[in-house]
Amino acid sequence: MPRGQTKRRPQTVSSLLDAALEVFADRGFRGTSIEEVCERAGLTRGAFYSNYRTKEELFFALFDRHAQRVLDRLADAVDAMRGSVEPLAELISRTSAVDHAEHRWYLLSTEFTLHAIRNPDAARRLAEHDRRLRAEVVRLFETLFDQLGRRPTVDLDSLARFTTALHEGALAQSLVEPDQLAPDELARAYLPPLIEAISIAKPDAPQPG
C-alpha cells in the first residue's frame, strides 16, 4: 500500500474505517462505492488511495480492527474468570454483548463471506485472516482451560471454529427474532456442558465454583 507516514494518517485511516463500516452495513459491500465511503468520511478519493488500493483491502483492514477488538474482549473475559464463582457464566456474559459496532460488523462480514464464496481469491485471503485470528483465540483457550483447572481433549483450532459458528449462528437468529432469543442464550445453555464433555480435570487442580 503506497502510503507515507504523516501525523494525520491515523486519523484519516480511522475515519475511513468508521465510514466504511457504516456504509457497507447500510448498502452492502458490493453496493457501496469508494466515493460513498469517502463522502461519509468527509475525505477525498486521494485520501482513500493513499491508504488502500481496493474495497477488499479496506474490508480486511476492518477485519483486523474487529479481530483485535474480539481478542481484547476475550482476553479481558478470561482474566475476569479468576476467582469468579461461575467462571464460564462470567466469560459468556463479557463476550456476548452486541453493541452497534458488533451489529454492523455482523451485517458486513456475513455479506463479505458470501462474496468470498463466489470469489476464490477473496476466499483465500479471508481464510488466511480467519486462520491468524483463530491462532490467537487458541492461545486464549489454552489460558481458559488452565483457569478452569482442566485439560482439553479436542483440537483447540477445531473448537475455535465451532465456537465461532455457534456465536455467529446464534447472533443471526437473535437479530431475526430478538424477542425470542437473546444473543447469549445458546452459549449459556450449551457451552458449560460442552466444555466439561471435551476436557478432563487436571490432577490436583483446584476446581472453580
Side-chain angles (χ1 to χ4, degrees):
M1 287 181 282
R3 49 182 85 92
Q5 291 291 337
T6 68
K7 291 182 179 180
R8 294 187 60 186
R9 182 171 175 261
Q11 181 180 349
T12 298
V13 168
S14 179
S15 295
L16 285 169
L17 292 175
D18 290 344
L21 181 60
E22 294 298 320
V23 181
F24 285 156
D26 286 340
R27 296 183 54 79
F29 178 78
R30 291 181 62 85
T32 296
S33 68
I34 289 172
E35 288 80 3
E36 287 171 312
V37 173
C38 293
E39 181 179 354
R40 180 72 66 94
L43 296 167
T44 65
R45 284 171 58 90
F48 177 89
Y49 285 113
S50 68
N51 291 281
Y52 305 105
R53 290 189 294 259
T54 64
K55 283 196 304 179
E56 276 196 7
E57 196 169 90
L58 180 60
F59 167 81
F60 286 115
L62 278 168
F63 182 105
D64 291 340
R65 185 174 76 166
H66 183 264
Q68 189 58 55
R69 183 171 182 258
V70 168
L71 292 172
D72 289 345
R73 181 186 290 183
L74 183 55
D76 288 344
V78 170
D79 188 60
M81 291 170 60
R82 299 177 188 274
S84 174
V85 175
E86 296 185 57
L88 286 178
E90 180 77 25
L91 177 79
I92 293 167
S93 175
R94 287 174 171 265
T95 56
S96 298
V98 181
D99 57 15
H100 176 76
E102 188 71 21
H103 186 173
R104 306 301 262 177
W105 173 253
Y106 180 80
L107 295 175
L108 169 56
S109 61
T110 299
E111 185 188 10
F112 191 88
T113 299
L114 295 176
H115 167 73
I117 291 171
R118 299 186 182 101
N119 295 271
D121 288 341
R124 282 190 290 271
R125 292 189 67 189
L126 181 58
E128 177 58 23
H129 281 257
D130 279 336
R131 184 197 64 76
R132 291 201 297 264
L133 174 57
R134 283 201 314 278
E136 296 300 321
V137 171
V138 164
R139 292 187 182 94
L140 289 169
F141 275 179
E142 291 169 349
T143 303
L144 183 152
F145 279 102
D146 188 60
Q147 294 271 52
L148 294 172
R150 303 186 68 84
R151 180 171 63 82
T153 57
V154 298
D155 176 65
L156 291 182
D157 183 78
S158 180
L159 180 62
R161 288 183 183 272
F162 174 81
T163 53
T164 298
L166 174 62
H167 172 74
E168 293 180 352
L171 181 54
Q173 293 181 58
S174 178
L175 291 174
V176 171
E177 297 182 279
D179 296 332
Q180 298 297 317
L181 185 72
D184 63 348
E185 185 174 332
L186 297 181
R188 286 184 180 277
Y190 296 108
L191 274 185
L194 172 67
I195 292 298
E196 184 172 355
I198 62 171
S199 63
I200 58 176
K202 290 182 178 180
D204 302 322
Q207 296 301 302

